[in-house]
Amino acid sequence: MKNIYRISIISLLLLFSALVLNSCGGVPEEKSETSGAENVFSVEEVLEMVSKENDVTRTLYTKAIVGGGKKQGMKFDEDWRKDDVEAGPLPALFLRGVATSIKKSPVPLGLYLGSDFPVNAANKFVGKQAELFEQIKEDRKPQFFYEEDQKLHTAMFADVAGAAACVTCHNDHKQSPKKDWKLGDVMGATTWQYPKDSLTYKETVAVLNSYAKGTVDIYMEYLDEIEAFETSEKPVIGDKWPADGKFLPTAEVFLDSVRKLSSYETMKHLVAASK
């Protein structure tokens, strides 16, 4: 069953690539030979695109999977990978899994989540990012800058507590330096980095696909973890969601839902640039 899921996901990713490259009707015929080699998107545009994809994915996972799953008795834990823990990844760890997958890919895209009150002290913002984060907390607008030390173009986007699961987890965590988080608070900033100041169509598609593959990788790891449960009741994996009972969607269903919710905005950017 696991291999069938992976084949289906590969097919869906290939379809996503084709849709992006064709840009809802195709890059104009006369540009077909050169469009893949021309730098047509600024790094800020691309990082904003992938950030929006991430917003949709994380919201869906946090609310529909974690929030809905907890109501059905499913467990989510920071130690979910340990053999004696039968649980799924918390939202922040889901994002970390995506980042790890991207890091292993050939795409030079960086992703991490930081804060001024992180549970893990290693994720505390310092220097320029700490300064910009103060501005983000005030106006919640993205911040773009060039990281001189790393030679990377950097974008920071507000990470807002949009689900009760996030607030409860951070307030109850024994290592949390802040215990009074509320829904709607800016808890941190999702930070993206890329070495070039502009990207081609192909590079842009590679960035979007590396993120999509990252979500598949970490979600599949969660489903694999469920298969190994020995004492906990296993949710039924198929086309239903926790809102319907003790169910979880397959990775294909999860990714397809993300694509339907987020790809329209991405397509608008790609189509506009092709005209």
Side-chain angles (χ1 to χ4, degrees):
M1 183 66 72
K2 184 162 55 179
N3 289 335
I4 293 175
Y5 287 156
R6 293 191 187 280
I7 291 170
S8 298
I9 291 302
I10 290 171
S11 299
L12 194 57
L13 284 171
L14 289 174
L15 174 61
F16 179 74
S17 297
L19 287 170
V20 173
L21 285 171
N22 287 327
S23 298
C24 296
V27 176
E29 191 73 25
E30 64 271 19
K31 291 180 65 179
S32 61
E33 293 184 3
T34 60
S35 62
E38 295 174 350
N39 287 359
V40 292
F41 295 106
S42 69
V43 66
E44 288 85 0
E45 288 177 299
V46 174
L47 296 183
E48 194 150 19
M49 274 191 266
V50 73
S51 174
K52 288 179 179 178
E53 298 279 330
N54 178 60
D55 286 344
V56 169
T57 305
R58 288 191 67 206
T59 298
L60 188 65
Y61 181 77
T62 301
K63 291 185 176 181
I65 302 296
V66 178
K70 283 186 173 181
K71 291 179 181 179
Q72 302 298 339
M74 299 181 204
K75 296 179 181 179
F76 297 85
D77 195 282
E78 62 183 322
D79 294 321
W80 69 283
R81 283 193 174 100
K82 291 184 177 180
D83 293 339
D84 60 342
V85 177
E86 297 186 346
L90 292 164
L93 299 182
F94 185 88
L95 182 68
R96 187 184 299 174
V98 175
T100 299
S101 175
I102 294 173
K103 191 173 182 179
K104 293 177 181 177
S105 79
V107 178
L109 177 69
L111 166 63
Y112 61 92
L113 182 62
S115 175
D116 52 353
F117 293 106
V119 170
N120 185 339
N123 296 327
K124 185 177 177 66
F125 283 133
V126 295
K128 181 71 172 178
Q129 292 191 20
E131 294 176 20
L132 293 178
F133 183 57
E134 290 302 315
Q135 184 62 39
I136 289 173
K137 287 195 294 183
E138 286 186 20
D139 58 22
R140 306 195 176 198
K141 294 180 180 179
Q143 291 289 335
F144 302 92
F145 69 102
Y146 184 66
E147 185 73 64
E148 287 286 352
D149 293 342
Q150 302 180 64
K151 306 299 180 188
L152 292 170
H153 295 273
T154 304
M156 299 172 65
F157 299 88
D159 187 65
V160 179
C166 299
V167 174
T168 301
C169 178
H170 281 259
N171 284 342
D172 294 346
H173 199 287
K174 60 184 180 181
Q175 291 179 249
S176 178
K178 181 176 169 66
K179 303 288 188 178
D180 58 349
W181 293 107
K182 303 181 299 296
L183 280 173
D185 283 351
V186 177
M187 300 184 76
T190 305
T191 303
W192 303 84
Q193 295 182 313
Y194 197 81
K196 296 176 60 178
D197 63 0
S198 58
L199 290 80
T200 65
Y201 276 101
K202 289 182 179 179
E203 288 171 332
T204 300
V205 170
V207 164
L208 294 171
N209 270 347
S210 69
Y211 176 77
K213 182 180 182 300
T215 64
V216 169
D217 287 346
I218 185 62
Y219 191 74
M220 281 299 304
E221 190 176 348
Y222 173 32
L223 297 186
D224 290 346
E225 181 76 10
I226 289 173
E227 287 188 12
F229 282 4
E230 295 181 355
T231 59
S232 302
E233 181 184 354
K234 299 179 183 180
V236 177
I237 299 171
D239 59 357
K240 294 183 178 180
W241 295 70
D244 300 317
K246 201 145 192 176
F247 303 102
L248 280 175
T250 64
E252 182 177 15
V253 171
F254 181 79
L255 182 63
D256 188 50
S257 296
V258 171
R259 182 180 60 80
K260 288 175 181 176
L261 290 168
S262 64
S263 61
Y264 176 69
E265 287 298 321
T266 300
M267 291 298 179
K268 285 201 303 185
H269 278 83
L270 296 168
V271 172
S274 70
K275 293 180 179 178

